[in-house]
Amino acid sequence: QVQLVESGGGLVQAGGSLRLSCTASRIIFSINNMGWYRQAPGKQRELVAAITSGGSTNYADSVKGRFTISRDNAKNTVYLQMNSLKPEDTAVYYCNANRVNSEVWGQGTLVTVSS
């Protein structure tokens, strides 16, 4: 079974940092585009950051300059380094893997940023 497992969420003070990890199994990780999405209560899920199989990155305007997405194909893992966190970053963060004819979501990890 294809599986994405996120970790690294938790409670952090505003201005602090967290590093999220997403480890994949049962997929050919290196050929998948990877992304981090988030969903706050009552809000739509939104793209936070993405990295293609070729290493190109894209960020939501709200996180540019604060978040960094990276991948380690040898470890089948994608990371989201989150710095200068704000209360509005509070959400469940989801890992996504996609390629032609395939899309898989992780279970989500909760990030709570206190003011």
Side-chain angles (χ1 to χ4, degrees):
Q1 302 290 331
V2 175
Q3 188 174 23
L4 302 177
V5 179
E6 300 102 331
S7 63
L11 175 64
V12 65
Q13 296 280 345
S17 298
L18 286 174
R19 187 195 192 200
L20 305 183
S21 299
C22 171
T23 299
S25 63
R26 312 290 185 181
I27 67 169
I28 305 174
F29 182 84
S30 63
I31 66 172
N32 275 261
N33 304 313
M34 304 297 298
W36 286 98
Y37 293 72
R38 67 187 181 188
Q39 187 167 25
K43 304 293 184 180
Q44 293 185 336
R45 188 173 299 186
E46 64 175 346
L47 176 67
V48 177
I51 184 166
T52 69
S53 60
S56 298
T57 58
N58 185 46
Y59 298 92
D61 288 342
S62 60
V63 307
K64 286 181 180 176
R66 299 189 297 121
F67 292 9
T68 302
I69 188 171
S70 62
R71 65 192 297 161
D72 186 338
N73 289 344
K75 297 181 178 180
N76 281 10
T77 300
V78 62
Y79 304 95
L80 185 67
Q81 179 66 47
M82 305 186 295
N83 299 325
S84 302
L85 283 161
K86 305 174 181 179
E88 50 263 45
D89 295 318
T90 295
V92 177
Y93 284 71
Y94 296 92
C95 181
N96 172 270
N98 70 91
R99 60 179 301 274
V100 174
N101 297 322
S102 177
E103 185 174 62
V104 181
W105 292 91
Q107 82 287 355
T109 186
L110 177 63
V111 172
T112 303
V113 184
S114 62
S115 59

